[in-house]
């Protein structure tokens, strides 16, 4: 439902349409949150697994952020790096949930 509403907003708003790639990139976190099962680990209190994994992904995303993002023209790369750092840890949960 969230993606349908987002698509409708981008379709009918010319001001938002020019930011379409950036908006889609940042909203990709919605699907990672939906498909990930971080809540399951939190219920069982497995913070010893969650915290180091999230810290590792934050550090790993910091490397390309400091290496490749240099000015305003790298905004989309910055957005992808940010999403990868915030939601990258949920990728391993997708395979565990399947």
């Amino acid at each position: 439902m969230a993606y349908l509403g987002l698509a409708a907003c981008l379709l009918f708003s010319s001001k938002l349409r020019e930011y379409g790639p950036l908006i889609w990139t940042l909203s990709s976190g919605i699907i990672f949150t939906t498909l990930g099962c971080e809540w399951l680990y939190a219920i069982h209190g497995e913070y010893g697994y969650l915290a180091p994994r999230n810290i590792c992904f934050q550090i790993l995303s910091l490397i390309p952020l400091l290496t490749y993002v240099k000015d305003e023209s790298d905004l989309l790369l910055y957005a992808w790096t940010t999403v990868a750092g915030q939601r990258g840890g949920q990728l391993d949960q997708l395979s565990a949930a399947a």
Side-chain angles (χ1 to χ4, degrees):
M1 294 291 291
Y3 279 119
L4 289 175
L6 181 62
C9 287
L10 290 174
L11 183 65
F12 296 116
S13 174
S14 60
K15 290 183 181 181
L16 289 178
R17 198 173 303 133
E18 67 184 83
Y19 296 106
L22 181 63
I23 291 171
W24 284 115
T25 300
L26 293 174
S27 69
S28 65
I30 296 170
I31 196 74
F32 288 119
T33 302
T34 302
L35 296 177
C37 56
E38 187 167 319
W39 57 271
L40 184 61
Y41 291 107
I43 287 173
H44 293 290
E46 296 183 28
Y47 299 108
Y49 169 71
L50 290 175
R53 185 204 62 203
N54 288 337
I55 291 170
C56 286
F57 271 95
Q58 289 290 326
I59 291 170
L60 288 174
S61 70
L62 186 63
I63 295 167
L65 184 70
L66 294 175
T67 305
Y68 297 112
V69 177
K70 301 295 182 191
D71 55 24
E72 292 178 9
S73 65
D74 299 328
L75 183 61
L76 197 56
L77 180 60
Y78 170 78
W80 276 113
T81 307
T82 303
V83 168
Q86 292 174 348
R87 303 295 180 209
Q90 295 178 348
L91 292 175
D92 72 329
Q93 296 171 358
L94 296 178
S95 62

